[in-house]
Amino acid sequence: MTDRERDGEPAHQLVSRTLRAGIAAGNYRDGGRLPTEAELAQQYRVSRQTVRRAFQDLVADGTVHRVPGRGTFVRETGGRYLRHHGSIEDLMSLSSDTTMEVLTPLHRRVDVEAAGRLRLDTDVVYTITFRRMHEGIPFVVTTVHLPEHIARHIADREEIGPGGTSPHTVIGLLEPHLESPIVEAAQSITVSCADTVIATGLDCAPSHPMLRVDRLYFDATGQIVDLSISHFMPERYTYRVTLRRSTP
């Protein structure tokens, strides 16, 4: 890593994203001190100013806090799984410290609502339901709906079949096969209650309050490739996103 931008991403953002991933993976315990600016500058082969800007990003989104004269410390999460979302890469990086366990394997079905949201000219979609685990604890159940021409790219993968497990995300499995890369996700966040499938997957009572996150993924041509509906258990999950002022 160098101080110059890499693949269009400023060096300080790359450092902050790497540190977030390490924190989410448990490499730094709650309340623990991060390495110093000098240590990280040497580790990542960047300037201390670059590390300082990375720390400012992490402070701004609440991932860490700084104590003058003592250092930079990870904010305590109370044992919840913590994930920072600010890019498509952040969504894909769930594969770095969680595991997907299939509850209902990918299958063909008629779903008028899902097909409408995918803007299909047919009512047929391909659907998979799975949960994600962190350190052996389930924290989210997700149902993904795919158009048939997208689903066929991964239909034969063992990890999305009956009893399948994988560290990968569905979009991570899909992207190497897509003619156009995924570049955007339209997201809505609401509250919901656990149905029987969700309650069983998360080992909680039916009707338990859930954080529902719906995402539509678009490729570079503007076509929808994936509808993802996730139900997170609030006691086991913390959602974080960075908002920045737009520049003229």
Side-chain angles (χ1 to χ4, degrees), residues 23 27-35 63-65 70-77:
I23 291 169
N27 296 337
Y28 306 101
R29 61 181 177 82
D30 280 6
R33 186 175 71 85
L34 291 177
T63 302
V64 303
H65 65 96
R70 293 188 57 204
T72 303
F73 297 82
V74 178
R75 285 198 181 276
E76 297 188 19
T77 63

Side-chain angles (χ1 to χ4, degrees), residues 4 27 63-64 71 74 96 110 131 139 149 172 180 192 199 202 233-234:
R4 63 184 175 83
N27 296 337
T63 302
V64 303
V74 178
S96 67
V110 173
R131 65 181 182 179
F139 64 93
H149 70 283
S180 182
S192 184
L202 295 177
M233 196 167 180

Side-chain angles (χ1 to χ4, degrees), residues 8 18 55 70 86 91 104 120 139 156 177 198 215 224 232 234 248:
T18 302
F55 277 161
R70 293 188 57 204
L91 295 174
T104 304
L120 302 178
F139 64 93
D156 296 330
H177 306 284
I198 295 168
R215 295 191 185 103
I224 300 173
F232 293 89

